[in-house]
Amino acid sequence: MTFFDIDPHLYMVAALSIFMVSLSKSGLIAALGIVGVPLLTLVMPAREAAGMMLPLLLFMDAIGFVALRKQVSWPNLRILLPAAITGIVLGWAFYAFISEAMVRLMIGIITVIFCLDAWLPLRKALTGLPPSKPWGWFWGSLAGFTSFVSHTGGPPFQIYMLPQRLSPVLYAGTTVIFFTTVNLVKLIPYAALGQLSVSNLTLAVSLLPVAAIGMAVGIFLVKRINANLFYHIAYVFAFLLGLKLLYDGLMAFI
């Protein structure tokens, strides 16, 4: 497969998805990160979407790692990373039993719950808590599992991390190191399962400029626009997309 063989409609949706994810990686609108694979599943199978996106996530992780590698909350990572690797192993073990409809349903549920968690007062009631090993293992393993399935590890990670109210730069650096490690570990099972196919890698390479432009635009705009407005819009968009995936998944079972 060459660049000229890529379906233009698929490429446009993929480019939009990667651009939105790269904006989230830059710190502009964090909520946009969860719409990447759900948006791609509208034009390609969820597992192929996950395989295509992994090299691009690693490319974006590398940029974030260079910038933020010294800003890390190690107490959190010592709890979260072993749990996340356990979740990845569980995702790999149950890979054969997870159907396309289950993947769509899982992504939809995670996306909707994450949006509701942001809108409802639960998170506010839990603010200021120190790192908790039991909760860290729970949310960390769930982040690893969902990250393996569909790169939607962000919601479980954020549900655990945000109530601690770390400084923005410390939170961003911890997020970068966590997902850089998680995505590197995922290379092994993804390669073993054939998700890093030639067609996926061809599409991913063609989208590298989009990822770079998205991060550059995000870094430029993050200090110049009202991010709160875009933050709320992103949640509404993610919520509607999650509802559609929930509907698609349920209809497949029915």
Side-chain angles (χ1 to χ4, degrees), residues 12-34:
M12 289 178 62
V13 174
L16 176 61
S17 173
I18 296 304
F19 185 77
M20 294 169 70
V21 172
S22 62
L23 286 179
S24 76
K25 287 282 190 179
S26 72
L28 178 62
I29 309 172
L32 281 176
I34 64 174

Side-chain angles (χ1 to χ4, degrees), residues 4 23 150 185 188 223 244:
F4 298 102
L23 286 179
S150 58
V185 172
I188 299 171
K223 298 179 181 179
K244 184 186 187 308

Side-chain angles (χ1 to χ4, degrees), residues 128-147:
L129 294 179
S132 165
K133 286 186 178 181
W135 278 116
W137 268 91
F138 174 77
W139 292 115
S141 59
L142 187 59
F145 183 86
T146 56
S147 182

Side-chain angles (χ1 to χ4, degrees), residues 21-27 55-72 168-181 183 211-212 214-216 219:
V21 172
S22 62
L23 286 179
S24 76
K25 287 282 190 179
S26 72
L56 290 162
L57 290 174
L58 286 168
F59 172 72
M60 290 181 270
D61 287 336
I63 297 174
F65 180 83
V66 170
L68 297 166
R69 64 187 183 279
K70 295 181 180 180
Q71 304 291 335
V72 182
V169 68
L170 188 60
Y171 175 83
T174 305
T175 302
V176 165
I177 300 302
F178 177 80
F179 284 105
T180 298
T181 305
N183 288 332
M215 291 202 72
I219 292 170

Side-chain angles (χ1 to χ4, degrees), residues 46-145:
R47 287 172 175 170
E48 288 187 21
M52 186 279 293
M53 187 171 283
L54 182 57
L56 290 162
L57 290 174
L58 286 168
F59 172 72
M60 290 181 270
D61 287 336
I63 297 174
F65 180 83
V66 170
L68 297 166
R69 64 187 183 279
K70 295 181 180 180
Q71 304 291 335
V72 182
S73 172
W74 289 111
N76 277 296
L77 288 183
R78 280 192 286 267
I79 296 171
L80 290 169
L81 283 177
I85 293 172
T86 301
I88 293 171
V89 172
L90 288 174
W92 189 1
F94 288 100
Y95 178 87
F97 304 99
I98 303 175
S99 67
E100 188 78 17
M102 291 169 64
V103 172
R104 286 178 176 265
L105 189 61
M106 183 182 299
I107 299 171
I109 291 172
I110 292 168
T111 305
V112 169
I113 289 176
F114 180 56
C115 293
L116 292 176
D117 174 73
W119 292 331
L120 297 176
L122 174 61
R123 180 179 293 171
K124 294 179 182 178
L126 297 175
T127 56
L129 294 179
S132 165
K133 286 186 178 181
W135 278 116
W137 268 91
F138 174 77
W139 292 115
S141 59
L142 187 59
F145 183 86

